[in-house]
Amino acid sequence: MQSWDLDSIEHIEEFRLLLLTRSNRVLGLASISKGGINGTVTDVRIILQYAIKSNASGIIICHNHPSGNLQPSESDQAITMKIKESAALMDVQLLDHLIITAEDSYYSFADNGSV
């Protein structure tokens, strides 16, 4: 949560990317997009560019829900699978997709068997 702007987390949806080595050492954090109240555009090609340029072996994607609702939408589920399949072609493993809220709550796709 320290890298999120707590003044806007309830107002603007953002999508971020955590880049990891094979041993899960953090290589970096990238901001992929900022949107509006109801969503943000997530370009899979930009995610893969970051992963390839940083030589990441694994990635964790994360976005916030300004509404406070932690349940993934159909579009959340669809983009997760698209990123997972695309990354796998480049030998990059999608380790998790987290949805966070301002209340320090989160939903983990990995914990729920969706990654």
Side-chain angles (χ1 to χ4, degrees):
M1 289 290 287
Q2 291 176 346
S3 70
W4 293 79
D5 182 353
L6 297 180
D7 292 330
S8 66
I9 195 169
E10 293 179 307
H11 306 288
I12 297 171
E13 189 166 319
E14 297 183 53
F15 199 99
R16 305 254 175 113
L17 170 66
L18 187 65
L19 301 150
L20 303 164
T21 66
R22 178 75 56 206
S23 61
N24 292 333
R25 185 176 57 83
V26 175
L27 293 168
L29 177 66
S31 179
I32 300 302
S33 64
K34 289 185 179 185
I37 294 171
N38 296 328
T40 188
V41 175
T42 304
D43 191 328
V44 177
R45 294 170 298 174
I46 292 173
I47 292 170
L48 293 178
Q49 281 179 352
Y50 276 108
I52 292 166
K53 287 182 178 181
S54 68
N55 289 321
S57 294
I59 58 174
I60 296 174
I61 54 177
C62 181
H63 78 282
N64 67 308
H65 277 180
S67 68
N69 179 3
L70 287 172
Q71 291 305 308
S73 66
E74 286 184 27
S75 62
D76 291 338
Q77 294 170 357
I79 196 66
T80 302
M81 292 311 299
K82 187 174 182 180
I83 293 168
K84 179 180 179 178
E85 292 168 359
S86 300
L89 291 173
M90 304 303 296
D91 291 326
V92 175
Q93 184 179 9
L94 175 61
L95 300 170
D96 205 349
H97 180 177
L98 301 170
I99 299 172
I100 64 170
T101 65
E103 292 85 36
D104 289 333
S105 297
Y106 71 94
Y107 176 93
S108 164
F109 278 73
D111 287 352
N112 288 281
S114 301
V115 172

